[in-house]
Amino acid sequence: TKMVFSAFFFVPEINDSEGHPSSSHQTLKGTSKWATSLENLLEDPEGVKRFREFLKKEFSEENVLFWLACEEFKKTQGKKQMQEKAKEIYTTFLSSKASSQVNVEGQSRLNETILETPHPLMFQKLQDQIFNLMKYDSYSRFLKSEVFLNHKKSEEQEENPSEAQTAAKRASRIYNT
């Protein structure tokens, strides 16, 4: 039997029969982990890469790029660096002339004065809007997309080369309902 531990508990390293470390973190990986939540998808660099690939085809890659830029912005230290990054986020995603404009509520009221007093959470409300837009819109389509299903199939072939055909048929039955 497998036991799943909450992220709040320390999980000691356990070795499997071949002496490789195994922990609850490894029970779900790749596409299985991505399919559990958008948060899990965005925590995995490979997941982000595949999600971006999908959003590019949907002409909405700016949403995930904005979300990632805001995550990076929260870690920025020093007022000068914050001002520079905030200006970059504003001109790239939020201004009326932005090259990769995201569609957020209250956008028409946004102007460059917000850049004068930057703080780590200044974009949080807008980031949350974009997260919810992705979560309730493009994320569910991503899980049914060729990008996701092809990656899932190649993962399954790596894990079980002999069962690859059956797994692929199972996956297509599950996702094409």
Side-chain angles (χ1 to χ4, degrees):
T1 59
K2 285 183 183 169
M3 290 179 69
V4 179
F5 295 88
S6 163
F8 300 108
F9 297 106
F10 171 75
V11 180
E13 190 174 279
I14 300 163
N15 291 329
D16 64 17
S17 58
E18 293 167 21
H20 297 103
S22 69
S23 72
S24 63
H25 294 288
Q26 288 177 313
T27 55
L28 282 182
K29 60 182 183 234
T31 52
S32 306
K33 193 169 184 181
W34 305 348
T36 58
S37 72
L38 179 56
E39 289 87 344
N40 284 339
L41 172 68
L42 293 171
E43 282 171 10
D44 182 344
E46 183 64 26
V48 168
K49 183 180 163 188
R50 300 295 173 175
F51 193 45
R52 280 183 63 182
E53 204 178 301
F54 169 74
L55 291 177
K56 205 177 274 186
K57 290 177 181 173
E58 290 213 328
F59 304 101
S60 60
E61 186 188 18
E62 68 279 357
N63 290 334
V64 74
L65 294 176
F66 172 71
W67 189 88
L68 292 165
C70 291
E71 281 301 285
E72 197 55 42
F73 177 75
K74 289 178 201 173
K75 300 172 197 161
T76 306
Q77 301 290 310
K79 190 176 180 183
K80 182 118 178 76
Q81 285 90 331
M82 285 183 88
Q83 281 175 322
E84 285 170 14
K85 273 204 172 152
K87 186 173 174 51
E88 199 179 303
I89 288 173
Y90 179 79
T91 55
T92 308
F93 302 105
L94 300 169
S95 97
S96 57
K97 301 178 196 95
S99 55
S100 299
Q101 192 179 40
V102 292
N103 187 9
V104 286
E105 209 176 296
Q107 198 146 18
S108 58
R109 294 190 301 274
L110 281 177
N111 60 49
E112 292 195 34
T113 55
I114 63 163
L115 306 176
E116 290 163 18
T117 53
H119 59 88
L121 300 177
M122 67 188 278
F123 298 117
Q124 189 64 53
K125 279 184 181 168
L126 304 177
Q127 186 186 11
D128 290 345
Q129 276 185 50
I130 291 298
F131 180 85
N132 286 328
L133 178 73
M134 291 189 300
K135 183 175 183 172
Y136 298 110
D137 184 41
S138 44
Y139 173 65
S140 54
R141 283 197 309 281
F142 170 70
L143 296 178
K144 295 172 189 155
S145 73
E146 269 184 42
V147 172
F148 177 81
L149 295 174
N150 288 342
H151 192 74
K152 183 177 174 65
K153 194 190 295 183
S154 66
E155 266 182 1
E156 287 166 348
Q157 285 169 348
E158 283 170 27
E159 286 172 25
N160 311 312
S162 61
E163 291 179 37
Q165 290 302 95
T166 348
K169 285 178 188 158
R170 224 179 17 250
S172 69
R173 263 204 316 274
I174 294 167
Y175 288 97
N176 293 330
T177 50

